[in-house]
Amino acid sequence: KKKTVSFSTMPNDRKINSTAACISFMLEGCELKKVRSNSRMYSRFFVLDADMRSVRWEPSKKDSEKAKIEIKSVKEVRVGKKTPVLRSNGLSDQFPDECAFSIIYGDNYESLDLVASSADVVSAWVMGLRYLVSYGKHTPEAPGTGHPSLRTSWISSVFDLADLEKSGRIPVSRAVQLIKALNPGMKTSTIELKFKELQKASERPGTEVACDLFVEAYCELCTRPEIFFLLVQFSSNKEYLGLKDLLMFLEVEQGMEGVTEEKCLEIVGKYEPSKEGREKGYLAIDGFTRYLLSADCSIFDPQHRKVCQDMAQPLSHYYISSAHSACLLEDNFWGRSDISGYISALGLGCRSIELVLWDGPEGEPVVYTSPSAASCVPFRAVVGLIDQHAFTASAYPLILCLVVRCSAPQQRLAAQCLRKTLGEKLYLEPPNPTASYLPSPEQLKGRILIKGKKLPPGCEDSEGEVSDEEEGWELARRLGQEEQEVPEGGGPRRVRLSRELSELVSLCQAVPFQDFESSRRGQRYWEMCSFSEVEAGRFANECPAELVSYNKRFLSRVYPSPMRIDASNMNPQDFWKCGCQMVAMNYQTPGLMMDLNAGWFRQNGACGYVLRPAIMREEVSYFSANAKDSLPGVPAQLLHLKVISGQNLPKPRGSGAKGEVVEPYVCAEVHGIPADCAEHRTKTALQSGDNPVFDESLEFQINLPELAVLRFVVLDDDYIGDEFIAQYTIPFECLQPGYRHVPLQSLAGEPLPHATLFVHVAITDRRGGGKGHRRGLAGRRGRRVREYTSTKATGIKAIDEVFRTATQPLREATDLRENVQNALVSFKELCGLTPAANMKQCILTVAAWLLHSDSSPSVTLNLAEKYPPMEAQGPIPDLLRKVLTAYETMIQTSRTLIESADTVYGKLIQAQQAGMDFHKELPRIEAKEGLRGRKLQKALESFAWNITVLKGQADLLKHAKAEALDNLWQIHNAGQSCGIGRNGSASPEPSRLRAPLEPIPE
């Protein structure tokens, strides 16, 4: 049964939007469940003392003086299941992570573990407690104090500017417009209602509002509790972030590197609305909210907004954005041909367009997808348009797929038109017969390639017969327009082709597909095949490995089934996973499939070309497109996704639901290889207005990150007619970690103004990211048997002996990596952090405990050493002792990894290169050994598996060493910044530690 949490359990009129509100809530008290070490839960009433010095609970068997915790003794407040008691197996599944929190207190670091009825109650207690722990009861924001905050002063100054008459009051209509201007996307009716409520409550009705009422309305309407809660977590001074706080947030939570105080000052200057805040370098709640909503904080990695992949690989190594029937605005059957479809497709970065040429009534060829189209477009006009728009969105080559259905005379006119209009852009150089692969997109920049049939080499006439492709004839047959007879005895249909059109085809010569063996032996690299969706689907299911191997050298194009007369789309992922480069989409049809296509091609500067994963490009590699588990040599990753809230969600388009309120829920879908395809949904946010709170954590395992796409879909649970509200699709590789806003889009992919989802993203290695209680369970049942990746026997003695030399290095590489991972997870758990936390967070957490102690810090980091020991001075509590032991284990395993990695790496690469030396000799060795049929296939698969495993494990080891060095750098950095480090001059150079990894040659 799915666990759900709802903010709606807090009374609707109660909005926690300041620490004062949190403390008021705590002073009133509420019921929480107290969890004991024996895993039993007891309901108790918890309340903050009136003097704000203690938290008490009742009933209790202890006397009232013992059933309390003094605020000054609190070391830390943790959100979620972050203590051994809450992680224990008996409890872990009884309540969601968001409803649990723990108070760590006293000199022995004891924990009071609590479960609340909802996440908002947790937020109120945690925010209030952290505030009291940091600043005590004498704070400007505590209830009853009259000192105006930075924020109140700013809102008052905004009011003063709007008070043109200087009467101390402004018209309600002006106040509404003012708040709407400060918070774009908020409905006018919502603001008007709030003013009516406040006027009624304060018994001050009328058409004008005073400053205090305006400030109150603004704070209630424009404070997002989830962002305020986040700000308090990082704030070290009242209710705003100082430069050091902001720097910590950017480094620790947002994963930014090399952040300086100057950069933070720049952010404050850009987003903080108050003049005083900008001058003093303070980012208050409104500035912080603006920053989190800005493009600077987008979920989409800005590096991917420009071309960021290697564009010098052969053309066959890329996915190419491809359109089918680009000129149609409606469906295939009744569609109207319209020239704007081409402009739209090219503007979206499409790099392959299909043109079906038919005889035109005026003696010139025309373009439409079937003779039934309501109107046709002159071919000349289409070519002129392509010449004008071909390279506006992308400089990389455009492929025009010509499907010829017109007579030879009109073909000559078409060829003349292409030459005259496109001129130098047209690529006409003959293929290089000595090369093995197509040129790269970089070499073909600004060029237009023609994909089509060529006359056979021996044909000297001005026209000749060539085999025709099936594409385009099916509709003609359905409409009774078929002119060509099928040859007797079957075989491919024949059509006449003019020499002029044939000569325009160079690197993309269309040839019929026979079988994979024939292609391996006889197909030349500049020849390409087109497959119908049905045929390609059959190959993808029955022989995926052969299709992947075929696509390493040759381009393939997949076109939609002619049965799709409604212009619906196939799932491009079904063919991308097999390496098919050109999956032709009906751009005019919105929906899931087009979302996947549009989202996917956004990742490389939207240039229309995306480099395929290395495992699908390398000449020798093992890859099964239908893998149900992790792949050899590819590190699986865990995506931890927390869907926090939604903002300004529109009603479903065409919805017949009553009223203005939607009841939304969010579906997060991962699309990729079958092993990665998954979908999780949040609970429904009931009666939540336009800004629902979900506060729900979802988790996905990603086995092939380079091919995975994440899609957010917001749907309405209370719909009549249409449930779709919004969506956003993003490649996994483009996700930025931390707190991010997802810019929602309509079904057609257009941005929805101010509509967003607020989420938290964390990505970890699968082993590092496992749930803590799973580790604990394994520990009690006996040691988990470690799984080692091994090589497979090929059946050829000489080759197997070479691969056998890698058995021990493979085991050593796994041990080095997993020992560090296990030590890291243990250390993070003891620090009360998730496996997604980084090393800097761990050190800062330990430092925070020590700084909240009455005694001076009893633990220091000796930064004079490369592997800094954490040393205790005098007696320390049991929890700290465990933390020190876990830290020592983590440092020692990291040291072993760093010092041993190069040697083991060398052995793996040596075995891989020795194996590759056999590659060119394989056909001779196979013949000598008498291998054929299934045995031969098995030997080739095992050989590819071994090469992939050795390269992959060597890559993983190199990456693990870089991570271990990065952790050391973080320890030095955090030790110096938080005050527990000593002898800090020996801090390693980050540039040296973070040197880019050199990829292993393919």
Side-chain angles (χ1 to χ4, degrees):
K1 187 186 173 187
K2 192 152 186 72
K3 302 291 185 297
T4 60
V5 206
S6 172
F7 261 66
S8 59
T9 50
M10 181 76 83
N12 283 334
D13 58 344
R14 189 66 178 270
K15 190 167 181 181
I16 302 293
N17 57 13
S18 68
T19 17
C22 293
I23 292 166
S24 296
F25 180 72
M26 291 161 65
L27 286 165
E28 290 170 25
C30 74
E31 193 174 278
L32 299 170
K33 285 189 171 72
K34 184 169 177 269
V35 187
R36 291 207 179 146
S37 53
N38 61 6
S39 294
R40 290 191 177 176
M41 295 199 282
Y42 302 87
S43 286
R44 297 287 182 262
F45 189 81
F46 282 76
V47 65
L48 175 67
D49 270 356
D51 62 4
M52 291 186 264
R53 288 182 178 162
S54 305
V55 171
R56 298 178 182 273
W57 59 92
E58 54 187 35
S60 173
K61 291 177 183 175
K62 301 175 184 175
D63 65 63
S64 62
E65 283 309 300
K66 287 187 178 175
K68 70 172 187 177
I69 291 175
E70 290 191 349
I71 297 294
K72 67 179 183 183
S73 73
V74 175
K75 309 290 184 196
E76 185 193 0
V77 186
R78 297 179 185 173
V79 185
K81 302 168 193 171
K82 303 279 177 58
T83 62
V85 170
L86 289 177
R87 272 196 293 257
S88 66
N89 304 297
L91 281 176
S92 191
D93 295 330
Q94 291 186 29
F95 49 87
D97 200 60
E98 294 81 12
C99 286
F101 70 106
S102 304
I103 302 170
I104 313 296
Y105 67 98
D107 291 338
N108 291 323
Y109 292 81
E110 296 170 68
S111 73
L112 173 63
D113 299 301
L114 302 167
V115 177
S117 58
S118 67
D120 57 335
V121 174
V122 172
S123 298
W125 276 96
V126 172
M127 201 187 295
L129 283 168
R130 283 178 175 166
Y131 202 76
L132 291 171
V133 167
S134 298
Y135 323 120
K137 62 176 246 183
H138 301 294
T139 66
E141 292 304 315
T145 55
H147 190 282
S149 70
L150 189 73
R151 187 186 200 195
T152 308
S153 303
W154 166 66
I155 302 166
S156 301
S157 70
V158 170
F159 179 89
D160 291 342
L161 285 172
D163 181 11
L164 305 174
E165 296 80 21
K166 303 301 170 198
S167 62
R169 303 173 71 80
I170 61 172
V172 171
S173 57
R174 196 183 302 165
V176 169
Q177 290 309 310
L178 205 51
I179 289 181
K180 199 169 167 61
L182 293 169
N183 197 343
M186 187 172 283
K187 287 180 182 170
T188 305
S189 57
T190 306
I191 307 170
E192 287 172 345
L193 188 65
K194 178 55 66 180
F195 276 119
K196 280 179 185 170
E197 282 176 16
L198 293 175
Q199 283 180 323
K200 187 178 180 183
S202 62
E203 297 180 351
R204 288 187 285 176
T207 56
E208 293 187 322
V209 291
C211 184
D212 61 329
L213 205 103
F214 179 78
V215 170
E216 191 179 351
Y218 178 87
C219 288
E220 288 200 20
L221 287 166
C222 303
T223 307
R224 285 174 48 190
E226 70 275 26
I227 292 184
F228 188 76
F229 183 40
L230 186 59
L231 180 135
V232 171
Q233 268 182 275
F234 283 88
S235 168
S236 61
N237 197 327
K238 306 192 180 85
E239 294 196 357
Y240 53 77
L241 297 175
L243 295 181
K244 282 190 168 60
D245 302 330
L246 181 56
L247 190 144
M248 191 67 64
F249 171 75
L250 296 176
E251 279 196 344
V252 168
E253 234 6 294
Q254 305 298 86
M256 288 171 67
E257 292 183 2
V259 188
T260 60
E261 286 200 12
E262 289 71 30
K263 172 67 180 170
C264 294
L265 197 58
E266 191 183 304
I267 290 171
V268 171
K270 190 172 178 182
Y271 296 106
E272 174 53 40
S274 72
K275 188 181 176 187
E276 185 188 351
R278 291 195 298 273
E279 287 170 354
K280 293 182 177 176
Y282 297 158
L283 193 64
I285 179 69
D286 298 290
F288 190 42
T289 305
R290 285 181 183 188
Y291 171 63
L292 287 173
L293 279 164
S294 73
D296 288 345
C297 210
S298 167
I299 191 170
F300 191 94
D301 187 341
Q303 288 187 341
H304 288 270
R305 293 194 188 283
K306 53 185 184 294
V307 175
C308 56
Q309 296 176 345
D310 176 8
M311 300 304 285
Q313 299 274 336
L315 208 60
S316 58
H317 285 186
Y318 298 84
Y319 296 111
I320 303 171
S321 179
S322 305
H324 178 254
S325 313
C327 65
L328 291 191
L329 289 185
E330 296 164 38
D331 61 60
N332 277 341
F333 203 72
W334 305 109
R336 292 182 62 253
S337 296
D338 186 294
I339 212 156
S340 64
Y342 290 107
I343 302 173
S344 172
L346 291 169
L348 291 168
C350 177
R351 295 289 83 196
S352 167
I353 281 181
E354 177 195 44
L355 299 175
V356 186
L357 275 63
W358 299 82
D359 279 335
E362 306 295 322
E364 284 198 22
V366 293
V367 170
Y368 44 21
T369 40
S370 78
S372 75
S375 63
C376 55
V377 182
F379 180 68
R380 191 181 300 279
V382 175
V383 176
L385 196 81
I386 288 170
D387 179 54
Q388 195 178 339
H389 296 276
F391 301 107
T392 50
S394 169
Y396 292 99
L398 174 67
I399 301 170
L400 298 184
C401 301
L402 295 188
V403 181
V404 180
R405 297 280 171 262
C406 61
S407 60
Q410 293 209 10
Q411 288 176 31
R412 292 187 190 100
L413 290 174
Q416 288 165 17
C417 173
L418 285 166
R419 279 184 186 271
K420 184 180 176 185
T421 310
L422 302 179
E424 291 295 309
K425 292 174 188 165
L426 212 52
Y427 186 90
L428 301 172
E429 296 162 36
N432 177 0
T434 60
S436 302
Y437 286 92
L438 287 161
S440 69
E442 190 61 43
Q443 290 170 304
L444 297 169
K445 250 183 172 178
R447 306 303 291 273
I448 295 175
L449 311 181
I450 303 295
K451 179 238 169 196
K453 293 283 180 181
K454 271 186 92 67
L455 291 173
C459 178
E460 299 293 330
D461 300 333
S462 62
E463 59 184 71
E465 273 200 349
V466 291
S467 62
D468 190 19
E469 297 177 73
E470 275 300 300
E471 191 173 1
W473 278 120
E474 184 65 28
L475 267 176
R477 192 179 298 127
R478 293 166 69 99
L479 294 160
Q481 300 274 340
E482 188 174 12
E483 296 168 9
Q484 305 287 331
E485 292 299 322
V486 179
E488 285 182 29
R493 194 190 311 269
R494 311 291 292 177
V495 291
R496 302 292 292 173
L497 180 68
S498 75
R499 174 164 299 284
E500 287 91 334
L501 208 54
S502 169
E503 285 172 351
L504 298 183
V505 177
S506 169
L507 294 178
C508 297
Q509 183 182 341
V511 295
F513 179 78
Q514 292 172 316
D515 56 64
F516 291 114
E517 185 55 34
S518 303
S519 295
R520 192 166 75 89
R521 293 181 187 279
Q523 190 171 335
R524 293 167 297 188
Y525 73 83
W526 61 84
E527 295 175 334
M528 65 176 285
C529 299
S530 289
F531 302 93
S532 75
E533 172 189 352
V534 175
E535 188 181 20
R538 182 162 52 82
F539 291 144
N541 290 324
E542 294 174 8
C543 41
E546 283 97 324
L547 189 51
V548 169
S549 183
Y550 172 86
N551 285 320
K552 287 177 185 177
R553 275 194 69 203
F554 309 115
L555 283 176
S556 64
R557 180 173 181 272
V558 181
Y559 57 89
S561 162
M563 303 308 290
R564 293 184 182 273
I565 60 170
D566 59 349
S568 60
N569 274 308
M570 51 192 166
N571 186 344
Q573 283 276 5
D574 290 343
F575 308 105
W576 289 340
K577 71 181 183 186
C578 295
C580 297
Q581 298 88 348
M582 300 158 71
V583 182
M585 304 294 285
N586 288 308
Y587 270 58
Q588 72 274 21
T589 310
L592 164 63
M593 305 314 173
M594 203 55 216
D595 291 344
L596 292 177
N597 192 75
W600 178 251
F601 283 105
R602 227 176 258 141
Q603 67 183 292
N604 190 25
C607 75
Y609 284 82
V610 170
L611 188 63
R612 293 191 329 210
I615 199 169
M616 297 170 75
R617 303 193 309 265
E618 289 152 1
E619 192 177 352
V620 181
S621 65
Y622 178 88
F623 172 70
S624 172
N626 295 328
K628 296 284 190 289
D629 201 356
S630 55
L631 302 163
V634 179
Q637 295 186 307
L638 270 188
L639 169 63
H640 309 260
L641 188 66
K642 186 171 186 179
V643 182
I644 303 168
S645 60
Q647 292 72 47
N648 305 311
L649 300 181
K651 273 186 73 175
R653 201 171 158 194
S655 165
K658 296 183 285 292
E660 284 298 306
V661 179
V662 293
E663 295 189 346
Y665 63 95
V666 179
C667 269
E669 308 165 349
V670 170
H671 299 263
I673 60 169
D676 292 345
C677 291
E679 177 184 318
H680 296 309
R681 61 157 285 180
T682 67
K683 65 180 184 302
T684 300
L686 302 168
Q687 299 298 314
S688 57
D690 305 327
N691 303 303
V693 175
F694 304 102
D695 217 8
E696 202 157 341
S697 297
L698 314 170
E699 192 174 279
F700 299 88
Q701 178 169 314
I702 313 291
N703 294 288
L704 185 55
E706 289 173 280
L707 210 58
V709 176
L710 174 65
R711 182 174 184 255
F712 296 93
V713 198
V714 188
L715 300 166
D716 185 6
D717 220 354
D718 181 36
Y719 70 95
I720 299 171
D722 187 5
E723 63 177 339
F724 178 88
I725 295 174
Q727 64 83 27
Y728 182 73
T729 310
I730 179 171
F732 181 82
E733 297 281 277
C734 298
L735 284 171
Q736 288 217 95
Y739 289 93
R740 307 285 174 184
H741 280 92
V742 177
L744 294 172
Q745 298 178 341
S746 69
L747 191 65
E750 293 150 356
L752 292 168
H754 314 298
T756 54
L757 284 179
F758 187 43
V759 300
H760 181 265
V761 176
I763 297 165
T764 59
D765 290 342
R766 181 180 50 167
R767 291 183 181 86
K771 292 285 188 192
H773 64 266
R774 291 183 201 152
R775 271 191 74 258
L777 181 66
R780 273 196 285 280
R781 288 185 181 169
R783 194 173 172 193
R784 178 172 66 87
V785 178
R786 183 166 287 176
E787 293 175 13
Y788 293 98
T789 306
S790 57
T791 54
K792 293 181 177 180
T794 61
I796 301 168
K797 190 178 177 185
I799 294 176
D800 286 342
E801 280 176 6
V802 165
F803 287 132
R804 212 169 286 127
T805 62
T807 305
Q808 191 55 33
L810 280 171
R811 289 182 71 88
E812 287 174 20
T814 303
D815 286 338
L816 287 170
R817 288 188 297 106
E818 292 226 346
N819 289 347
V820 171
Q821 281 292 351
N822 291 340
L824 275 169
V825 171
S826 297
F827 179 54
K828 288 173 184 178
E829 281 183 2
L830 283 164
C831 291
L833 297 168
T834 66
N838 59 33
M839 188 51 59
K840 192 165 187 177
Q841 283 170 290
C842 296
I843 302 301
L844 295 173
T845 300
V846 175
W849 295 348
L850 300 169
L851 295 173
H852 287 146
S853 295
D854 293 335
S855 55
S856 58
S858 53
V859 173
T860 56
L861 272 171
N862 184 357
L863 301 180
E865 298 190 29
K866 183 181 176 184
Y867 303 97
M870 200 180 270
E871 298 160 344
Q873 278 78 43
I876 57 169
D878 185 46
L879 176 68
L880 265 183
R881 173 81 52 207
K882 286 179 181 173
V883 168
L884 261 63
T885 306
Y887 175 84
E888 182 61 26
T889 306
M890 187 263 301
I891 284 290
Q892 288 309 322
T893 53
S894 298
R895 180 175 189 160
T896 307
L897 167 67
I898 290 164
E899 293 176 354
S900 311
D902 289 350
T903 308
V904 178
Y905 175 86
K907 290 177 183 174
L908 291 172
I909 290 304
Q910 192 177 351
Q912 188 230 6
Q913 287 171 346
M916 282 302 288
D917 290 343
F918 281 104
H919 181 239
K920 286 179 182 171
E921 296 294 307
L922 270 180
R924 186 183 58 78
I925 298 169
E926 289 160 9
K928 185 182 171 187
E929 296 280 333
L931 293 175
R932 54 176 63 88
R934 184 75 195 115
K935 278 189 177 178
L936 172 62
Q937 186 63 32
K938 191 82 179 141
L940 291 172
E941 266 185 26
S942 296
F943 182 83
W945 166 278
N946 294 345
I947 294 294
T948 307
V949 161
L950 291 172
K951 180 186 182 304
Q953 293 297 314
D955 265 339
L956 289 178
L957 186 59
K958 196 166 190 176
H959 182 66
K961 179 184 173 182
E963 279 193 342
L965 287 167
D966 185 63
N967 281 337
L968 287 184
W969 179 82
Q970 288 189 44
I971 290 168
H972 276 89
N973 189 296
Q976 284 178 327
S977 66
C978 69
I980 64 166
R982 58 186 177 85
N983 309 325
S985 58
S987 171
E989 275 296 311
S991 58
R992 184 173 61 81
L993 295 183
R994 298 183 177 200
L997 297 180
E998 293 174 17
I1000 297 166
E1002 292 175 13

